[in-house]
mmCIF file of all heavy atoms in Angstrom:
data_model
loop_
_atom_site.group_PDB
_atom_site.id
_atom_site.type_symbol
_atom_site.label_atom_id
_atom_site.label_comp_id
_atom_site.label_asym_id
_atom_site.label_seq_id
_atom_site.Cartn_x
_atom_site.Cartn_y
_atom_site.Cartn_z
ATOM 1 N N MET A 4 -18.855 114.674 -41.476
ATOM 2 C CA MET A 4 -18.550 113.998 -40.231
ATOM 3 C C MET A 4 -17.197 113.287 -40.371
ATOM 4 O O MET A 4 -16.943 112.604 -41.337
ATOM 5 C CB MET A 4 -19.663 113.006 -39.922
ATOM 6 C CG MET A 4 -19.460 112.276 -38.623
ATOM 7 S SD MET A 4 -20.762 111.068 -38.359
ATOM 8 C CE MET A 4 -21.574 111.818 -36.987
ATOM 9 N N LEU A 14 0.658 91.636 -32.803
ATOM 10 C CA LEU A 14 1.896 90.986 -32.389
ATOM 11 C C LEU A 14 1.600 89.541 -31.983
ATOM 12 O O LEU A 14 0.552 89.263 -31.412
ATOM 13 C CB LEU A 14 2.503 91.695 -31.179
ATOM 14 C CG LEU A 14 2.920 93.142 -31.359
ATOM 15 C CD1 LEU A 14 3.321 93.731 -30.023
ATOM 16 C CD2 LEU A 14 4.046 93.251 -32.354
ATOM 17 N N LYS A 16 1.532 86.388 -29.658
ATOM 18 C CA LYS A 16 1.312 86.368 -28.210
ATOM 19 C C LYS A 16 2.625 86.299 -27.432
ATOM 20 O O LYS A 16 2.812 87.021 -26.459
ATOM 21 C CB LYS A 16 0.422 85.190 -27.844
ATOM 22 C CG LYS A 16 0.072 85.144 -26.381
ATOM 23 C CD LYS A 16 -0.847 83.995 -26.057
ATOM 24 C CE LYS A 16 -1.147 83.992 -24.579
ATOM 25 N NZ LYS A 16 -1.988 82.869 -24.197
ATOM 26 N N ALA A 26 8.369 95.874 -20.255
ATOM 27 C CA ALA A 26 7.690 97.133 -19.940
ATOM 28 C C ALA A 26 7.383 97.226 -18.446
ATOM 29 O O ALA A 26 7.565 98.283 -17.838
ATOM 30 C CB ALA A 26 6.406 97.258 -20.757
ATOM 31 N N ILE A 41 11.112 102.618 -31.369
ATOM 32 C CA ILE A 41 11.027 103.309 -32.661
ATOM 33 C C ILE A 41 11.853 104.594 -32.608
ATOM 34 O O ILE A 41 12.609 104.903 -33.528
ATOM 35 C CB ILE A 41 9.564 103.599 -33.045
ATOM 36 C CG1 ILE A 41 8.841 102.289 -33.355
ATOM 37 C CG2 ILE A 41 9.486 104.567 -34.225
ATOM 38 C CD1 ILE A 41 7.344 102.429 -33.508
ATOM 39 N N ARG A 53 23.218 111.569 -40.431
ATOM 40 C CA ARG A 53 23.014 113.020 -40.303
ATOM 41 C C ARG A 53 21.918 113.555 -41.213
ATOM 42 O O ARG A 53 21.979 114.672 -41.717
ATOM 43 C CB ARG A 53 24.306 113.776 -40.561
ATOM 44 C CG ARG A 53 25.349 113.587 -39.520
ATOM 45 C CD ARG A 53 24.932 114.234 -38.220
ATOM 46 N NE ARG A 53 25.946 113.961 -37.211
ATOM 47 C CZ ARG A 53 25.648 113.766 -35.946
ATOM 48 N NH1 ARG A 53 24.427 113.814 -35.539
ATOM 49 N NH2 ARG A 53 26.598 113.523 -35.090
ATOM 50 N N ASP A 57 15.740 110.795 -45.885
ATOM 51 C CA ASP A 57 15.679 111.439 -47.210
ATOM 52 C C ASP A 57 15.137 110.495 -48.244
ATOM 53 O O ASP A 57 15.391 109.372 -48.316
ATOM 54 C CB ASP A 57 17.065 111.900 -47.646
ATOM 55 C CG ASP A 57 17.410 113.232 -47.004
ATOM 56 O OD1 ASP A 57 16.492 113.920 -46.537
ATOM 57 O OD2 ASP A 57 18.608 113.565 -46.985
#
Side-chain angles (χ1 to χ4, degrees):
M4 182 183 248
L14 298 172
K16 184 178 179 182
I41 291 170
R53 291 292 177 215
D57 278 342

